[in-house]
């Protein structure tokens, strides 16, 4: 392990994180709508965090000075995993140093700050903040930094790193480790060109969405923050009711805003390289890709099932008024079902209503969607559709080989051959995700006191479901879940130990599992082997 090379690259990451905090500072000024009396603590918290990031970056860079650019697999894994850990720690500094409050008179603890930071970078969108609309509790400049972490983590910190600095063959190894999902990138292409292509497409989608949201009546601040949370499939909002806030404002076109967000959440869950190839006419259409076809099919089917079940059980009644015609009511119900299905499936986590209060069938579909995720090479978290597609094909071949043992078929997806290494990793990945879910659920059940459920409107017997959904929502980068972490609730009531566990689950869900888990192997840090 070449630790000096790792240190040099960690230094650059520290500097990039510190520099990115600069863009949050103007939102504390009066000309950007800020009130200096309540914003100054956020300003100085950000400024102090910038100084720490830049100083640490210089120290890392000095220690790693003179190292070679040559990087092997272990160094790439170490850089990616340690960069995310480092970014989480540095990204938590503005929350803690600014004295931001989780709720009135309850300042954010170290664990709270780490939770919020990792939730932002991993684009989970889970939060411990009880009120984000009061600048005296959470300054606007801190809220903007909160959304900026979505922007930085959407494509991946290291993808932006490689786009800016290149790093040659080292950059190729780094991108391969960070972008989750089989076939997320074309490793034969020039890696810096590929990363710049992804980055520019990412920027373009954000810019287009900001303009569309401005047409919907949002302020520039809210449009940027919600754009960062949508394209990155993150889910942080500047309102306590999330996207449901817009329906409460008479001067906003809530239906228009929701449909726009549905489209861009769905695009965020689409393979960015596939989108680029379609835009440059290297592919005839998105339908040429088997993963995207399955992605679309699941979204449409789940939306229709939730719609029909919701209508029969009256789940959407609160969104419709008696003055509406049947057509308008049905369209509103369809929009609500589509919004939440796409939001959960793409691991965005935006909400317009309390979906955890739907009927059992609809909640069951929602829970299953938490384990899907978007396409490989997208900003979405979760398992990824491609793994289910490959897993299904492996299962079919295994059944056929049971009665035709002499038949050997090549495994293909969208006409492309899937090599044995990738095919073997899929069932292993499912096993590891299942194990993490079970172990995580048992640990949180053991850690969390029953009193929290006794003192809430949720009964104690719901603790298992609530805890299971909290583990699923963090491991799969969803954000909201059921019960105590429902659409209008937050994670603030969990113990510090559980929050720290959730921090690790969010990072495991965002990166390839092997990249993070390898850090705990002593042999990983040895010079050879």
């Amino acid at each position: 392990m070449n630790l000096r090379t790792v240190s040099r690259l960690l230094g650059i990451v520290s500097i990039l994180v510190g520099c990115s905090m600069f863009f949050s500072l103007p939102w504390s000024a009066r000309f950007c709508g800020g009130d200096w009396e309540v914003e100054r603590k956020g300003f100085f918290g950000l400024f102090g965090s910038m100084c720490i990031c830049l100083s640490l970056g210089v120290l890392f860079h000095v220690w790693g000075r003179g190292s070679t650019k040559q990087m092997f697999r272990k160094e790439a894994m170490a850089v990616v995993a340690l960069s995310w850990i480092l970014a989480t720690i540095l990204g938590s500094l503005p929350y803690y140093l600014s004295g931001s409050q989780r709720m009135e008179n309850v300042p954010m603890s170290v664990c709270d700050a780490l939770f919020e930071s990792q939730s932002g970078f991993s684009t989970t969108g889970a939060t411990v903040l009880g009120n984000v609309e009061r600048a005296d509790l959470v300054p606007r400049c801190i809220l903007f930094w909160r959304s900026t972490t979505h922007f930085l983590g959407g494509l991946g910190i290291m993808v932006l790193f490689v786009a800016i600095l290149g790093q040659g063959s080292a950059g190729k190894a780094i991108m391969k480790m960070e972008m989750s999902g089989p076939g997320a990138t074309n490793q034969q292409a020039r890696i810096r060109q590929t990363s710049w292509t992804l980055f520019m497409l990412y920027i373009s989608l954000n810019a287009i969405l900001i303009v569309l949201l401005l047409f919907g009546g949002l302020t520039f601040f809210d449009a940027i923050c919600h754009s960062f949370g949508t394209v990155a499939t993150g889910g942080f909002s500047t309102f306590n009711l999330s996207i449901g806030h817009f329906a409460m404002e008479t001067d906003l076109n809530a239906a228009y805003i929701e449909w726009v967000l549905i489209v861009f959440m769905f695009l965020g869950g689409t393979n960015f390289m596939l989108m680029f190839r379609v835009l440059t006419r290297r592919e005839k259409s998105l339908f040429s890709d088997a993963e995207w076809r399955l992605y679309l099919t699941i979204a449409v089917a789940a939306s229709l099932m939730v719609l029909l079940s919701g209508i029969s059980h009256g789940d959407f009644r609160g969104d419709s008024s008696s003055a509406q015609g049947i057509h308008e009511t049905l369209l509103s119900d369809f929009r609500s079902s589509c919004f939440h299905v796409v939001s959960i499936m793409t691991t965005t986590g935006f909400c317009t209503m309390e979906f955890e209060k739907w009927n059992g069938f609809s909640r069951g579909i929602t829970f299953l969607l938490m384990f899907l995720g978007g396409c490989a090479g997208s900003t979405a978290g979760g398992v990824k559709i491609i793994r289910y597609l490959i897993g299904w094909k492996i299962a079919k071949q295994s059944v056929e080989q049971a009665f035709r043992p002499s038949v050997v078929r090549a495994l293909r997806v969208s006409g492309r051959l899937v090599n044995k290494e990738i095919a073997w990793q899929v069932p292993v990945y499912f096993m590891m995700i299942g194990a993490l879910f079970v172990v995580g659920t048992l640990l949180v059940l053991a850690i969390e006191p029953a009193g929290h459920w006794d003192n809430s409107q949720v009964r104690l017997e719901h603790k298992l479901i609530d805890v299971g959904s909290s583990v699923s929502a963090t491991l799969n980068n969803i954000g909201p879940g059921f019960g105590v972490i429902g659409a209008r609730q937050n994670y603030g009531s969990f113990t510090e130990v559980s929050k720290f566990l959730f921090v690790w689950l969010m990072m495991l869900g965002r990166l390839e599992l092997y990249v993070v888990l390898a850090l705990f192997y002593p042999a990983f840090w040895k010079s050879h082997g």
Side-chain angles (χ1 to χ4, degrees):
M1 177 70 70
N2 190 337
L3 293 179
R4 286 188 177 274
T5 296
V6 173
S7 175
R8 178 176 58 83
L9 296 178
L10 290 179
I12 299 174
V13 171
S14 298
I15 293 172
L16 289 176
V17 172
C19 291
S20 66
M21 292 179 184
F22 172 80
F23 298 99
S24 299
L25 293 176
W27 296 103
S28 62
R30 191 175 299 277
F31 66 85
C32 286
D35 181 353
W36 178 249
E37 291 302 314
V38 295
E39 292 290 332
R40 62 181 176 182
K41 62 179 183 180
F43 177 91
F44 288 115
L46 278 164
F47 185 77
S49 300
M50 286 177 58
C51 293
I52 293 173
C53 291
L54 297 177
S55 300
L56 189 62
V58 171
L59 288 176
F60 273 129
H61 198 71
V62 168
W63 189 68
R65 188 172 51 190
S67 63
T68 61
K69 289 189 176 182
Q70 188 176 15
M71 182 180 292
F72 299 102
R73 184 179 181 87
K74 286 202 298 185
E75 282 82 5
M77 294 177 71
V79 167
V80 170
L82 293 177
S83 291
W84 275 81
I85 294 173
L86 180 62
T88 300
I89 295 171
L90 297 178
S92 70
L93 293 176
Y95 301 109
Y96 190 74
L97 296 181
S98 67
S100 296
Q101 298 181 39
R102 180 165 58 82
M103 55 196 316
E104 193 165 9
N105 299 321
V106 182
M108 295 179 73
S109 66
V110 172
C111 271
D112 289 331
L114 289 171
F115 183 99
E116 206 73 14
S117 176
Q118 179 58 247
S119 182
F121 282 117
S122 64
T123 68
T124 302
T127 185
V128 297
L129 301 177
N131 192 335
V132 296
E133 296 182 26
R134 285 182 54 180
D136 59 323
L137 301 182
V138 186
R140 276 163 51 95
C141 58
I142 297 297
L143 273 186
F144 192 83
W145 167 245
R146 182 171 175 254
S147 293
T148 300
T149 57
H150 271 344
F151 177 82
L152 294 174
L155 262 187
I157 300 169
M158 304 310 295
V159 172
L160 304 185
F161 173 95
V162 174
I164 297 171
L165 300 175
Q167 300 297 316
S169 60
K172 181 182 292 188
I174 289 171
M175 278 190 66
K176 185 177 181 180
M177 294 301 162
E178 184 178 54
M179 297 197 71
S180 60
T185 59
N186 179 9
Q187 295 300 310
Q188 302 302 316
R190 286 182 295 174
I191 200 65
R192 191 173 188 183
Q193 181 180 354
T194 300
S195 56
W196 263 113
T197 297
L198 295 172
F199 184 52
M200 294 310 297
L201 181 57
Y202 184 60
I203 290 287
S204 299
L205 287 175
N206 273 281
I208 294 169
L209 180 54
I210 289 171
V211 173
L212 292 176
L213 291 178
L214 289 173
F215 279 122
L218 270 67
T219 64
F220 191 51
F221 177 82
D222 292 330
I224 295 176
C225 290
H226 285 89
S227 175
F228 286 175
T230 302
V231 179
T233 61
F236 277 155
S237 175
T238 54
F239 302 105
N240 295 328
L241 297 180
S242 188
I243 307 305
H245 171 88
F246 302 132
M248 310 292 291
E249 298 288 338
T250 56
D251 58 335
L252 296 178
N253 189 339
Y256 164 82
I257 294 171
E258 289 174 25
W259 279 119
V260 167
L261 293 179
I262 289 170
V263 171
F264 278 82
M265 284 190 293
F266 193 80
L267 290 175
T270 299
N271 188 323
F272 272 53
M273 283 306 299
L274 175 64
M275 278 195 285
F276 177 75
R277 289 198 299 268
V278 171
L279 290 173
T280 55
R281 298 184 179 181
R282 298 178 190 175
E283 294 276 358
K284 292 182 179 179
S285 71
L286 292 171
F287 291 96
S288 62
D289 186 79
E291 183 189 22
W292 193 84
R293 290 198 303 270
L294 181 58
Y295 172 56
L296 176 64
T297 300
I298 293 174
V300 172
S303 297
L304 290 176
M305 286 190 287
V306 169
L307 173 65
L308 295 175
S309 179
I311 290 175
S312 64
H313 288 85
D315 290 339
F316 307 116
R317 196 171 297 156
D319 286 63
S320 303
S321 64
S322 57
Q324 284 182 309
I326 295 177
H327 175 73
E328 291 177 334
T329 302
L330 184 61
L331 186 60
S332 174
D333 294 348
F334 180 62
R335 186 177 72 249
S336 295
S337 64
C338 284
F339 188 94
H340 289 90
V341 164
V342 173
S343 178
I344 297 299
M345 184 178 176
T346 61
T347 72
T348 307
F350 278 144
C351 304
T352 63
M353 60 191 302
E354 296 175 285
F355 65 87
E356 72 274 14
K357 295 183 179 179
W358 286 349
N359 67 87
F361 180 75
S362 294
R363 282 188 286 121
I365 291 176
T366 302
F367 185 73
L368 292 176
L369 289 174
M370 289 182 177
F371 289 89
L372 287 182
C375 301
S378 70
T379 61
V383 176
K384 300 293 189 299
I385 299 296
I386 187 65
R387 287 195 174 97
Y388 287 96
L389 188 59
I390 294 175
W392 170 250
K393 289 180 177 289
I394 291 173
K396 283 178 62 178
Q397 287 190 0
S398 298
V399 171
E400 184 181 16
Q401 286 180 348
F403 62 89
R404 288 180 177 174
S406 60
V407 174
V408 178
R409 298 187 188 279
L411 186 63
R412 295 181 180 275
V413 175
S414 299
R416 300 183 183 93
L417 186 67
V418 179
N419 64 50
K420 291 182 179 180
E421 180 185 356
I422 292 177
W424 166 248
Q425 288 178 356
V426 169
V428 174
Y429 188 91
F430 279 123
M431 182 196 71
M432 295 176 70
I433 283 289
L436 285 170
F437 172 72
V438 171
V439 172
T441 300
L442 291 176
L443 285 174
V444 177
L445 283 171
I447 294 167
E448 289 301 311
H452 176 57
W453 278 263
D454 289 336
N455 296 327
S456 69
Q457 296 179 352
V458 184
R459 293 175 296 183
L460 180 59
E461 55 264 32
H462 291 168
K463 181 180 179 182
L464 175 61
I465 297 175
D466 293 355
V467 169
S469 72
S470 68
V471 172
S472 174
T474 49
L475 179 59
N476 295 304
N477 307 132
I478 308 294
F482 301 125
V484 295
I485 55 161
R488 296 178 182 177
Q489 307 297 325
N490 60 75
Y491 288 73
S493 58
F494 282 93
T495 62
E496 299 288 277
V497 178
S498 292
K499 290 174 188 174
F500 189 70
L501 175 61
F502 291 146
V503 168
W504 282 99
L505 289 175
M506 286 187 281
M507 187 163 65
L508 284 166
R510 174 58 180 84
L511 301 176
E512 287 292 278
L513 292 176
Y514 317 102
V515 175
V516 181
L517 295 178
L519 296 179
F520 299 95
Y521 273 73
F524 177 76
W525 299 101
K526 293 181 180 178
S527 299
H528 303 285

